[in-house]
Amino acid sequence: MRRLSAFNVVSLTLGFAFLYVPMLILVIYSFNESKLVTVWAGFSTKWYGELAGNQQFLDAAWVTLRVAFFSSTIATVLGTMAAYALIRSGRFWGRTAFSGMIYAPLVMPEVITGLSLLLLFIAIGLDRGILTLVLAHTTFCMCYVSVVVSSRLITFDQSLEEAARDLGCTAAESFRLVTLPIIAPAVVSGWLLAFTLSLDDLVIASFTSGPSSTTLPIKIFSSVRLGVSPEINALSTIMIGIVAIGVIIASLMTKRSMARRLADEAAADRAELT
């Protein structure tokens, strides 16, 4: 096994410290007794109780979860369709423009995207609220889903679809029974990525949200401008814990799936030998 050099060890240590030490400090001070987030006054969990009774934060969290769920689901459907059309349709008229429109929001500044969507909603007379948030998040999340699914479709063996068609399946049936189960990990990854991006969005949501549709990032940003409260530390700690649990579950599911696939391949090899 190749050993890491001292330079690599120091670089990795500094990099991880830069990323995770601030999070560790935030988690520690979420259990602080004092209202001052920079002064340690003893261990306490009272700020989690205060957070549970803060209706404004709870309402913002509920709005954020609803918007993230619906926008990521719609973005996954549309992004998968766009990726399939882009990869499987070959060369067609307008393909360059179509791919450009898919990838443009990836490099477009969020301020420009948010402002353009705001002007669009004003032009068509659509009041800002949950619906405008879902439409706005779907617009930019769909691009990320399309990229993830496209990378999986490029390596997909099309002979499997052809075999299904030879056995009597229609195009829709071959996609539903063969293609979709194989690319399902990429589709799920795209949905999770879209869900995370929607949860984290601040700039576009600030342009397209209304008075009754304040998301959690907007609420946190507004509260921080008046001073950091220990309740925000508690809320951030809960979000870090949820993300960590999700990552652990996804890692375990990936390892289990890989182990199952290796076992199936080994069983198939033994069957061929016998």
Side-chain angles (χ1 to χ4, degrees):
M1 178 180 291
R2 184 177 179 181
R3 300 183 60 182
L4 293 175
S5 64
F7 176 78
N8 291 334
V9 172
V10 172
S11 299
L12 288 174
T13 303
L14 293 177
F16 282 118
F18 180 80
L19 290 174
Y20 294 109
V21 167
M23 295 184 187
L24 179 62
I25 295 175
L26 184 147
V27 172
I28 293 174
Y29 275 92
S30 69
F31 297 98
N32 188 12
E33 176 71 24
S34 174
K35 291 184 177 180
L36 301 175
V37 295
T38 57
V39 178
W40 181 260
F43 181 85
S44 176
T45 60
K46 70 175 184 178
W47 300 115
Y48 290 89
E50 294 285 340
L51 178 63
N54 193 323
Q55 193 61 39
Q56 292 182 346
F57 275 119
L58 296 179
D59 292 340
W62 176 236
V63 169
T64 303
L65 290 175
R66 283 190 294 168
V67 171
F69 176 79
F70 288 112
S71 62
S72 59
T73 301
I74 299 172
T76 300
V77 175
L78 297 179
T80 302
M81 294 170 60
Y84 192 85
L86 190 63
I87 301 301
R88 291 301 176 83
S89 298
R91 306 292 301 181
F92 57 89
W93 186 85
R95 186 181 188 278
T96 302
F98 180 68
S99 60
M101 287 189 293
I102 291 177
Y103 299 132
L106 297 176
V107 296
M108 188 73 66
E110 290 188 345
V111 174
I112 304 299
T113 303
L115 180 59
S116 61
L117 289 170
L118 172 62
L119 295 176
L120 172 64
F121 296 145
I122 293 176
I124 63 177
L126 186 61
D127 294 332
R128 286 180 291 172
I130 299 293
L131 178 59
T132 56
L133 275 173
V134 171
L135 294 176
H137 285 188
T138 301
T139 301
F140 76 90
C141 289
M142 178 182 67
C143 310
Y144 292 91
V145 176
S146 179
V147 171
V148 173
V149 177
S150 295
S151 63
R152 180 63 184 92
L153 285 173
I154 291 175
T155 60
F156 182 81
D157 188 5
Q158 298 188 31
S159 62
L160 299 175
E161 288 183 344
E162 295 174 357
R165 297 292 297 274
D166 292 339
L167 293 174
C169 290
T170 62
E173 289 175 340
S174 64
F175 177 80
R176 179 174 59 88
L177 299 175
V178 178
T179 307
L180 189 58
I182 294 177
I183 66 172
V187 175
V188 173
S189 299
W191 187 92
L192 292 174
L193 179 60
F195 188 83
T196 304
L197 291 171
S198 179
L199 284 179
D200 183 61
D201 178 67
L202 171 65
V203 178
I204 296 178
S206 63
F207 281 97
T208 58
S209 63
S212 61
S213 58
T214 301
T215 61
L216 194 57
I218 295 177
K219 182 61 181 176
I220 293 175
F221 182 74
S222 301
S223 301
V224 168
R225 295 181 65 181
L226 302 176
V228 180
S229 169
E231 293 182 23
I232 298 178
N233 290 348
L235 177 61
S236 302
T237 300
I238 293 175
M239 295 178 67
I240 291 173
I242 293 174
V243 171
I245 293 173
V247 170
I248 293 173
I249 293 175
S251 178
L252 293 176
M253 291 178 62
T254 302
K255 289 183 178 179
R256 181 176 298 179
S257 177
M258 186 176 297
R260 186 180 304 168
R261 186 178 64 182
L262 292 175
D264 293 339
E265 292 178 354
D269 293 338
R270 288 195 298 267
E272 291 179 358
L273 293 175
T274 56

